[in-house]
Amino acid sequence: MKFPSTNFQRDRIILILILLVAAFLRIWELDKYPPSLFIDEVSNGYNAYSILKTGKDEYGNFLPLTIRAFGDYNPALSVYLLIPSIAVFGLNELAVRFPSALLGTLTILVTFYISLKLFKNIAIALLSSFLLAISPWHLQFSRYDHEANFMLFFSILGLTLFLYGLKKHHYLIFSAVSFGCALNSYHAAKIWIPLIVVAVIVIYIRELKKIKRKVFFPIAILAISAIPIFLNIQNSLIRAQSVAIFSKEKNSVEIFLDGYLSHFSPRFLFIEGDFIGRHSVNGMGQLYVFEAPLILAGLMFIFARKDKINSKKLLLCLLFLAPIPAALAAPTPHALRSINLAPAFSILSACGLYALVRWKYRKSLKYPVLFTIFIVAAYNIITYFHLYYRHEPLLKAADWTYGYKQMIDYVNSVKKEDQTVAITSYYGKPYIFTLFFTKFDPKTFQLTGHNTEQIENYEFFGSSWRKRNNKSAILARPPWQIPQDPNLKILKKIQNSAQELFFVITEE
Amino acid sequence: MKILFVIFFTILLLSVKLMPLPQCSLRMAIQALPPRIFQQTTTDSSTQNPLITRFFHNKAGIFGSEFGKCYLNFFDPVLIAKNTLYIGLIPWAYFIYSLLLRKNLILISILLILPIIPFMEINLPVIYLHKLFAIIGFVIYMKNKK
């Protein structure tokens, strides 16, 4: 891909710097921030470990096309992408999150190329990639192993390769492969990919008609990539049935419209963000406040241009189609299911900033406006990082199922051989945390027939646990399950630096 | 014929039940200051340099955030859609687009000042203006349509 620029060397250096910043922000202390692995991350990680060691997932399915996780069946690609990372780093937080961080960084590079292709303007392309590199929305999910981030990377890559493929036709094959990967990465992609593929075909129909024969093979690849979904269609629909609005609500059309529009709510975008704890930082929206006027300026910039009609249409399609998968489910607004909005807003903000810098009228107003935006931006960005690294680990520890690792590490260090360890299931599915943090042999676990009530000496209980023999046992419970007994031997309390108590470990 | 469409659209919009703005005012923004300051400075811990704590967590910033919530309520697309029967959202957006395209700074300034009225607890039904903007947007569109 060419790099059209008047100052090639300078622009290449700027791009490399942006990528380094993006990589640093996504990889630095990845094992500590967010404060712990969420249950889905643990599940993905252990299943990847299990497939690496035995070729089978935790349920004993050989190289599954969908991964069963707590009653849902998820597309498997994101789990398979963890395998090389776990092979290199071992089964730990860094290994689980690294692929998402890496693909998040590569998304910045792809956003650069798609902006460059859309607007043929190096400044807009560099600004788009920079704004996405520091975007709270994108950073939040790049540091979190979630299939949505993989979907975002592959779908943006697919779009970019498609645009370059209109001239260099072999790129269309890679575009189809990327879209196929996106389709097999996340549930929402089953709605998103068909929508965006149809949109690009409609927008670029003239160009595609000229290369008719060269389009058949990519379409075939796309069709083949949909086979795993159809082979597991019933299992794939389980998740949809639990969250979709049309299966449950009477006034579903109104709920869909409200859900769709809520993704453009200024409060969601700039002030409060997603109310799900892991999806945003307390006290901030999904985007920076300074991006609000830039997005408005960007929209004006796009509508005012008489050229690049197809580019405008594609960007607007990205913007207006992205919330649809999220709006079809509850709750809304949902930052994860609408993650495809993040690069669209970055590109718009970049267009707006470019338009403001190039503004020729009322110059007396231009420089004070730019200066104000710069000051607000600097404060906004620094505050975000302060909130993310200082406040979030304390305020959102429970959202990230904090405490399991510390509890299991401690219990393993003090427990005697054959001593029973009983762990509460209050925080949800303790078996998977035990498997992960003890690096339990997957083959042994598969042979138990997926027993989630007991793993060797580890037992998992609901509201109470009954001892089966006279031997001492170690119990790990939340503080409100601890009996009022002055003779109770408390070994350790697992709490975070905000003194929030998660587990009390006792010996009985 | 165009006039009939405009009249029909106007009647339709005026018949829609009004959805009020959420309760949000200067008084509430000021009331939110002490608990938010307490929560944020406590989270920062006492060992942190007080200047840094003040830099990130101050009354101006928190008031700005509370004011922003109240201010942006006026531009909430769900609220506008419910007050303009959803179909009115497009002419509403067209009205804003026309204002920006014509660089009508006076009207744009008035539009930007409007959300401050309910914030100052001035009892003016500014929320009705969304219907008016949608109607004007529809009229501009019908006028421009050949």
Side-chain angles (χ1 to χ4, degrees):
Chain A
M1 292 174 187
K2 276 189 184 171
F3 203 104
S5 168
T6 52
N7 192 334
F8 174 71
Q9 197 70 350
R10 177 202 66 193
D11 295 332
R12 195 167 65 164
I13 289 170
I14 293 172
L15 179 62
I16 290 169
L17 284 172
I18 290 170
L19 290 171
L20 285 172
V21 166
F24 176 76
L25 291 175
R26 280 151 182 78
I27 294 169
W28 182 72
E29 305 239 282
L30 193 54
D31 53 340
K32 290 185 191 142
Y33 304 99
S36 74
L37 287 179
F38 184 58
I39 191 169
D40 289 344
E41 293 179 289
V42 170
S43 171
N44 288 345
Y46 190 77
N47 274 289
Y49 179 69
S50 181
I51 294 171
L52 173 67
K53 294 283 183 200
T54 65
K56 298 175 184 175
D57 67 3
E58 64 177 274
Y59 291 89
N61 301 312
F62 181 71
L63 296 178
L65 293 175
T66 54
I67 298 286
R68 186 176 163 190
F70 317 128
D72 281 338
Y73 289 80
N74 300 325
L77 183 66
S78 55
V79 170
Y80 284 106
L81 287 175
L82 296 187
I83 293 173
S85 181
I86 289 172
V88 169
F89 296 116
L91 186 61
N92 53 48
E93 291 94 326
L94 176 65
V96 169
R97 288 177 175 163
F98 183 77
S100 184
L102 180 64
L103 290 189
T105 306
L106 291 174
T107 305
I108 310 303
L109 181 63
V110 177
T111 302
F112 169 82
Y113 278 106
I114 196 173
S115 309
L116 191 62
K117 192 66 180 171
L118 287 176
F119 297 103
K120 302 238 183 333
N121 185 309
I122 198 82
I124 291 178
L126 287 171
L127 284 170
S128 304
S129 53
F130 176 70
L131 287 170
L132 190 65
I134 60 166
S135 164
W137 201 333
H138 195 246
L139 275 168
Q140 194 75 16
F141 298 119
S142 292
R143 297 182 66 95
Y144 172 19
D145 170 53
H146 198 285
E147 309 94 82
N149 204 36
F150 296 94
M151 173 191 72
L152 173 64
F153 169 74
F154 285 116
S155 57
I156 290 289
L157 180 64
L159 270 175
T160 309
L161 290 168
F162 173 85
L163 292 175
Y164 283 90
L166 293 173
K167 290 238 168 92
K168 293 187 177 177
H169 305 137
H170 59 279
Y171 280 146
L172 290 175
I173 298 169
F174 299 116
S175 171
V177 170
S178 290
F179 280 131
C181 289
L183 197 57
N184 286 283
S185 57
Y186 185 41
H187 283 297
K190 293 179 192 109
I191 309 285
W192 167 244
I193 297 299
L195 279 175
I196 199 65
V197 165
V198 167
V200 294
I201 289 172
V202 167
I203 293 168
Y204 293 97
I205 192 73
R206 271 194 206 164
E207 289 87 345
L208 290 171
K209 275 183 180 170
K210 291 178 193 167
I211 51 166
K212 252 185 282 192
R213 279 183 211 166
K214 298 195 177 162
V215 166
F216 290 129
F217 188 47
I219 290 176
I221 291 174
L222 207 50
I224 290 166
S225 67
I227 290 173
I229 296 166
F230 289 109
L231 285 177
N232 290 280
I233 190 76
Q234 275 197 312
N235 289 336
S236 300
L237 288 175
I238 289 172
R239 181 67 181 153
Q241 282 163 0
S242 68
V243 299
I245 54 170
F246 284 99
S247 57
K248 285 187 239 168
E249 310 287 344
K250 281 183 190 168
N251 49 341
S252 355
V253 174
E254 190 181 340
I255 293 172
F256 168 77
L257 288 171
D258 287 350
Y260 176 84
L261 291 170
S262 66
H263 291 87
F264 300 105
S265 159
R267 274 180 76 151
F268 165 71
L269 291 175
F270 306 112
I271 304 285
E272 290 177 330
D274 193 329
F275 59 83
I276 296 175
R278 294 177 305 282
H279 294 182
S280 67
V281 159
N282 255 13
M284 282 203 58
Q286 300 300 137
L287 304 172
Y288 294 111
V289 162
F290 75 84
E291 290 186 82
L294 297 184
I295 287 167
L296 208 58
L299 283 168
M300 291 310 303
F301 172 80
I302 286 170
F303 282 119
R305 285 184 77 141
K306 304 242 185 294
D307 63 337
K308 306 231 180 309
I309 304 284
N310 282 350
S311 300
K312 280 178 356 187
K313 284 181 186 173
L314 183 58
L315 185 58
L316 292 173
C317 275
L318 259 178
L319 198 64
F320 292 116
L321 293 178
I324 291 177
L328 289 168
T332 54
H334 201 285
L336 204 51
R337 292 176 193 144
S338 61
I339 195 174
N340 292 298
L341 277 173
F345 277 126
S346 295
I347 296 171
L348 261 184
S349 299
C351 290
L353 186 56
Y354 177 78
L356 280 174
V357 168
R358 299 279 300 231
W359 196 11
K360 287 175 188 164
Y361 309 101
R362 294 182 197 245
K363 279 192 178 173
S364 57
L365 213 61
K366 170 177 156 181
Y367 294 109
V369 166
L370 283 173
F371 181 73
T372 307
I373 289 174
F374 175 75
I375 295 295
V376 171
Y379 183 73
N380 217 183
I381 293 165
I382 298 170
T383 303
Y384 167 71
F385 288 115
H386 171 78
L387 292 173
Y388 184 82
Y389 288 103
R390 191 85 191 187
H391 287 228
E392 288 299 284
L394 303 176
L395 297 174
K396 303 277 183 74
D399 291 294
W400 290 96
T401 53
Y402 180 87
Y404 270 110
K405 180 189 172 170
Q406 293 77 5
M407 179 268 291
I408 290 169
D409 283 350
Y410 176 78
V411 158
N412 275 342
S413 69
V414 299
K415 82 176 184 70
K416 301 176 194 95
E417 204 176 329
D418 291 341
Q419 186 174 28
T420 299
V421 176
I423 302 173
T424 180
S425 57
Y426 175 81
Y427 298 111
K429 312 293 181 196
Y431 86 91
I432 196 70
F433 290 93
T434 307
L435 289 172
F436 187 97
F437 289 115
T438 58
K439 298 181 178 50
F440 195 84
D441 177 43
K443 193 165 184 181
T444 310
F445 181 66
Q446 287 158 20
L447 291 170
T448 67
H450 201 266
N451 183 357
T452 59
E453 312 263 312
Q454 185 172 351
I455 300 170
E456 288 187 346
N457 295 338
Y458 290 89
E459 293 178 21
F460 311 110
F461 64 94
S463 52
S464 62
W465 178 75
R466 198 175 286 174
K467 220 196 240 190
R468 285 178 214 170
N469 52 45
N470 291 330
K471 290 184 190 172
S472 71
I474 293 176
L475 274 80
R477 294 170 282 193
W480 47 90
Q481 283 186 354
I482 303 298
Q484 296 293 324
D485 180 358
N487 298 322
L488 193 63
K489 187 180 173 187
I490 294 176
L491 297 177
K492 192 173 173 71
K493 293 180 181 177
I494 302 294
Q495 52 196 36
N496 63 2
S497 45
Q499 312 303 314
E500 193 179 348
L501 196 52
F502 294 92
F503 288 101
V504 177
I505 302 170
T506 59
E507 190 166 17
E508 294 173 26
Chain B
M1 193 64 184
K2 283 185 183 179
I3 294 172
L4 278 174
F5 276 130
V6 170
I7 293 170
F8 175 71
F9 183 75
T10 306
I11 293 169
L12 202 62
L13 244 57
L14 291 176
S15 65
V16 171
K17 193 180 167 187
L18 199 67
M19 183 175 169
L21 278 168
Q23 283 284 333
C24 202
S25 63
L26 174 65
R27 185 174 40 90
M28 289 167 71
I30 292 170
Q31 275 177 347
L33 286 175
R36 278 192 67 177
I37 287 269
F38 176 77
Q39 187 246 348
Q40 289 180 8
T41 51
T42 311
T43 309
D44 259 2
S45 100
S46 53
T47 54
Q48 182 171 271
N49 187 324
L51 282 174
I52 295 175
T53 305
R54 283 274 169 164
F55 177 76
F56 289 118
H57 311 298
N58 49 68
K59 287 182 180 172
I62 291 171
F63 181 80
S65 169
E66 293 295 321
F67 170 73
K69 275 185 217 171
C70 298
Y71 184 89
L72 292 172
N73 278 338
F74 185 79
F75 297 108
D76 182 33
V78 178
L79 181 85
I80 297 168
K82 283 195 184 300
N83 282 319
T84 58
L85 208 61
Y86 292 93
I87 49 160
L89 188 59
I90 296 167
W92 185 95
Y94 190 75
F95 168 70
I96 303 298
Y97 167 70
S98 306
L99 271 188
L100 293 170
L101 209 61
R102 290 164 205 213
K103 296 186 181 93
N104 194 326
L105 289 177
I106 295 169
L107 282 178
I108 292 169
S109 305
I110 292 171
L111 179 70
L112 291 174
I113 288 168
L114 283 174
I116 297 176
I117 295 172
F119 181 70
M120 301 304 290
E121 291 183 289
I122 297 169
N123 207 3
L124 275 176
V126 291
I127 198 71
Y128 277 105
L129 290 171
H130 287 312
K131 294 184 192 280
L132 179 66
F133 295 155
I135 293 165
I136 296 172
F138 191 70
V139 167
I140 297 172
Y141 171 73
M142 293 303 275
K143 198 179 156 204
N144 291 341
K145 193 182 165 193
K146 287 170 190 170

